[in-house]
Amino acid sequence: MFIPCDRGGDCAAPDFKGFTLLLPAVSVGNVGQLAIDLVISTLDMTKVGYFYTDCLVPMVGNNPYATAEENSTELSINAEVYSLPSKKLVVLQIRSPFIKNKYRPFCETLLSWVKSSNCARVVLLSSSHAYQRDDEQLLGTPLRYLLTPDLEKAVGGRMQELNWKEMEKVAAYPGISDTDKVLHIPGGGITKLLFTESCSKGIQMAVLLKFCSEGDNIPDAFVLVNYLNEWLQLIRSEVNPSSQWKIPSSWRLLFGNGLPPALF
């Protein structure tokens, strides 16, 4: 459930009516989470609350978007909510993996919050194992999208204008029957479940994903966030967008550079 920040005793929940909710799937390479980091850091989004749930592994750490020593010791937890009213954008960043068998309760709680907060649509940033692509998926761009039927009516034409490629369905029984096709997103975490639940509940959701492998996935994050920007235009795209994204201070620790002294 969403818990607003206590700012000077004011615990009133912010108004997200008509906002776009952006969140990551905890998926292969953590690409969605890294892309969300770039959005929050670049747009200097304000933390407005937390998403309290027992479905994620508990964690606490320093402010991942610290810009000075004064705010570096602020604490962050496993699921936090950031907002930018000027762009009608709200972001849920997830920083820890899911507890076993907790995917479905999390999706139910999340979609219930989406409906109660009157968010206009949800955009899920995800990734999938590159090595498990079928022959058709090996061709062309490594980026794919999915739209629920309710969102397809609103933005399907825009995706065609952008010349984006929809995620292909694959054979349910490869080598036996190619007629039965299913949506298959290996390594995608909650992606398929959240998408199918949104379809059944009439929620407008888009999934943007990239095929990738585990390793240094920072380049994948830039590719995915640029893909998102083609549609939502979060930053100017006339010049090279990759040079405009602001890398958060926490990325200095991605490969074990040691713990910051301020943590102690």
Side-chain angles (χ1 to χ4, degrees):
M1 60 182 293
F2 174 69
I3 308 295
C5 288
D6 183 0
R7 299 186 180 279
D10 181 13
C11 292
D15 182 11
F16 297 138
K17 185 176 182 179
F19 278 45
T20 294
L21 171 62
L22 184 63
L23 75 153
V26 182
S27 52
V28 55
N30 302 316
V31 177
Q33 294 156 291
L34 293 170
I36 292 289
D37 268 351
L38 289 170
V39 171
I40 295 172
S41 181
T42 302
L43 300 181
D44 194 22
M45 299 184 72
T46 302
K47 183 162 65 177
V48 295
Y50 311 88
F51 201 75
Y52 179 74
T53 174
D54 63 354
C55 301
L56 296 168
V57 173
M59 58 126 323
V60 65
N62 277 36
N63 179 7
Y65 312 115
T67 55
E69 188 175 347
E70 298 79 56
N71 63 5
S72 65
T73 55
E74 294 176 5
L75 295 181
S76 294
I77 62 170
N78 55 8
E80 297 185 321
V81 180
Y82 299 78
S83 177
L84 187 63
S86 63
K87 291 187 178 291
K88 281 197 169 286
L89 182 68
V90 57
V91 172
L92 169 61
Q93 177 61 303
I94 300 172
R95 299 193 178 95
S96 68
F98 286 89
I99 293 173
K100 187 177 181 180
N101 299 325
K102 289 288 189 175
Y103 277 16
R104 188 169 294 277
F106 178 84
C107 290
E108 291 173 353
T109 303
L110 175 65
L111 294 180
S112 176
W113 175 53
V114 169
K115 285 199 167 186
S116 65
S117 62
N118 294 312
C119 287
R121 60 189 176 189
V122 181
V123 180
L124 180 68
L125 300 185
S126 184
S127 51
S128 183
H129 284 300
Y131 74 89
Q132 289 193 247
R133 288 173 291 177
D134 68 1
D135 290 346
E136 187 179 1
Q137 292 171 338
L138 287 168
L139 301 174
T141 175
L143 296 161
R144 295 293 189 275
Y145 79 92
L146 286 166
L147 299 176
T148 60
D150 287 79
L151 188 57
E152 175 76 42
K153 298 172 186 175
V155 304
R158 177 58 179 155
M159 303 313 186
Q160 299 300 318
E161 292 174 8
L162 291 170
N163 201 28
W164 281 12
K165 198 167 185 178
E166 189 172 5
M167 184 69 172
E168 302 90 345
K169 290 187 176 181
V170 300
Y173 308 102
I176 300 175
S177 171
D178 292 331
T179 56
D180 295 327
K181 300 273 189 174
V182 295
L183 183 62
H184 186 50
I185 309 177
I190 64 170
T191 304
K192 182 178 177 179
L193 177 60
L194 196 56
F195 179 75
T196 54
E197 286 295 305
S198 296
C199 289
S200 65
K201 295 179 185 296
I203 290 174
Q204 296 193 17
M205 170 177 281
V207 175
L208 308 187
L209 67 82
K210 185 181 186 298
F211 295 117
C212 69
S213 302
E214 291 280 5
D216 180 359
N217 295 101
I218 289 176
D220 297 306
F222 275 102
V223 171
L224 185 60
V225 79
N226 285 336
Y227 188 53
L228 171 72
N229 195 60
E230 285 183 43
W231 173 28
L232 295 187
Q233 295 292 294
L234 300 176
I235 62 173
R236 291 174 50 208
S237 56
E238 296 83 45
V239 295
N240 179 15
S242 293
S243 64
Q244 298 182 70
W245 297 110
K246 180 182 175 184
I247 295 176
S249 56
S250 56
W251 282 22
R252 295 196 304 268
L253 304 174
L254 282 179
F255 298 103
N257 291 19
L259 295 173
L263 189 62
F264 302 97

